[in-house]
Amino acid sequence: MTGYGKAVVVYKDKKINAEIKSLNSKQLDLQTRIAPIYREKEMAIRQLIAQSVERGKVDFSLWVEKDTVVDATPINTSLVANYYQQLKGIAANLNIPEPADWLSTLTRMPDVLARTEQEVLSEEEWNEARKAVEAAIAALVDFRKQEGAALEKKFNEKVDNIERLLAEIEPYEKSRVEKIRQRIVDGLQQIPGVDYDKNRLEQELIYYIEKLDISEEKQRLTNHLKYFRETMREGHGQGKKLGFIAQEMGREINTTGSKSNQAEMQNIVVQMKDELEQIKEQVLNAL
């Protein structure tokens, strides 16, 4: 769910900048920084973002750059003239000298350099600002789609690796039955004077081998891997579901590990856990 988008639209003497960034989050967490002139449109902006971005910690900014010459604070000339006449009259009435630097004195008077006009957002300007917002959102969505394609490729590689490792377990699984049988028989033969019922031994061996059988775990894990792929193909909005499937895959791998009493099988299980852990880390990025 990470992504970035920016757009700039020129309107008269302004450059309207829209920028949006997103990080991982289980839900939509939207923070906005909007220039004062556009704040009345904040709800409309939030709706535009929510229509395209379902999840993620989203940071949105909308600001304006102006021509510095045009944006210079205007001087209130009528107020300057009024101050000048008042100060001259006061100086004459009180018989005190006039200021040596009239310009410096007058520009320090209240409200002479204060901006008196208030910007009003026109429908035309909002339409241009909206274009910047929509373009930034579209850039974010395109970025996330590219990230999603790379993520899908990575997931398929990891699922392929787990399937390959699962197949590598089979030779060890078949050979270990005979190894278990032989180890028990050899142990009994080393005990002097011990007579045992071979039929009962066979029954106990069957019970013991059934406890270590991983056929069901292998089948369930195979089904989960298949389901994971099918869910990826379903497209948008499957991130949480993929996370749940990954958890179930972990259960089967862990159970397989607990039943694997051979070092070779346990090594393979460790490798499967490593592949799955990488899936779990990246599945948080999936919508």
Side-chain angles (χ1 to χ4, degrees):
M1 290 178 290
T2 56
Y4 176 80
K6 184 177 181 180
V8 180
V9 171
V10 177
Y11 174 74
K12 294 183 178 179
D13 60 312
K14 301 178 179 180
K15 283 186 178 179
I16 304 172
N17 297 265
E19 184 181 60
I20 184 168
K21 296 177 284 186
S22 69
L23 297 172
N24 297 335
S25 180
K26 293 182 179 180
Q27 63 233 352
L28 179 60
D29 179 9
L30 176 58
Q31 301 293 327
T32 61
R33 289 189 295 277
I34 301 173
I37 188 173
Y38 304 123
R39 281 181 187 156
E40 63 183 83
K41 298 295 184 179
E42 181 173 355
M43 291 308 299
I45 291 171
R46 285 180 171 271
Q47 289 174 2
L48 286 173
I49 295 172
Q51 288 170 5
S52 300
V53 183
E54 294 181 12
R55 292 171 56 196
K57 183 175 178 60
V58 179
D59 187 7
F60 174 82
S61 299
L62 183 64
W63 74 95
V64 175
E65 296 178 49
K66 292 186 179 180
D67 186 343
T68 56
V69 176
V70 176
D71 199 38
T73 302
I75 298 174
N76 192 331
T77 54
S78 60
L79 188 58
V80 169
N82 188 281
Y83 278 133
Y84 177 72
Q85 294 299 328
Q86 290 188 60
L87 291 173
K88 280 185 70 69
I90 293 171
N93 291 335
L94 298 179
N95 195 25
I96 58 176
E98 295 181 2
D101 186 355
W102 273 107
L103 186 60
S104 177
T105 301
L106 291 171
T107 53
R108 288 200 300 267
M109 300 303 290
D111 298 327
V112 168
L113 297 177
R115 188 181 296 277
T116 56
E117 75 277 8
Q118 184 175 359
E119 283 190 301
V120 177
L121 180 63
S122 66
E123 191 64 28
E124 182 184 13
E125 181 174 350
W126 165 239
N127 287 336
E128 294 302 311
R130 181 188 179 111
K131 289 178 183 177
V133 174
E134 292 175 338
I137 295 172
L140 173 75
V141 172
D142 287 342
F143 190 105
R144 296 172 82 165
K145 284 181 178 178
Q146 294 174 16
E147 290 290 303
L151 201 58
E152 181 181 12
K153 181 180 179 181
K154 188 177 184 65
F155 282 155
N156 280 319
E157 288 176 357
K158 298 304 172 185
V159 170
D160 288 344
N161 290 342
I162 293 174
E163 284 184 336
R164 173 180 55 78
L165 290 167
L166 186 60
E168 290 179 7
I169 286 180
E170 187 171 353
Y172 299 107
E173 182 186 9
K174 291 180 178 179
S175 64
R176 71 172 180 160
V177 173
E178 184 56 36
K179 287 182 179 179
I180 292 170
R181 181 194 307 272
Q182 193 60 49
R183 188 168 65 243
I184 294 175
V185 171
D186 290 345
L188 290 172
Q189 290 177 347
Q190 290 177 10
I191 303 174
V194 172
D195 190 19
Y196 58 88
D197 186 338
K198 292 186 177 180
N199 291 330
R200 179 62 184 273
L201 176 61
E202 289 295 327
Q203 293 175 3
E204 294 296 329
L205 280 171
I206 292 171
Y207 174 77
Y208 182 64
I209 291 169
E210 285 179 349
K211 294 284 286 185
L212 297 178
D213 182 57
I214 59 171
S215 299
E216 291 185 8
E217 285 76 10
K218 288 170 55 183
Q219 184 59 52
R220 284 195 293 264
L221 179 55
T222 299
N223 291 339
H224 292 329
L225 294 171
K226 180 181 177 183
Y227 191 31
F228 192 92
R229 282 204 177 93
E230 291 173 351
T231 303
M232 281 196 296
R233 288 194 290 268
E234 290 177 11
H236 186 73
Q238 303 299 324
K240 291 182 179 179
K241 190 174 180 180
L242 291 174
F244 296 146
I245 299 172
Q247 289 180 4
E248 293 304 312
M249 289 159 59
R251 294 180 194 276
E252 303 307 329
I253 292 174
N254 287 334
T255 305
T256 300
S258 66
K259 290 185 176 182
S260 299
N261 60 344
Q262 276 187 292
E264 295 86 354
M265 292 177 65
Q266 289 172 346
N267 290 339
I268 293 173
V269 168
V270 169
Q271 294 178 59
M272 285 196 292
K273 287 182 178 180
D274 181 56
E275 298 292 335
L276 180 62
E277 193 61 31
Q278 294 181 56
I279 291 176
K280 287 182 176 180
E281 288 175 0
Q282 293 298 325
V283 82
L284 297 174
N285 284 316
L287 288 176

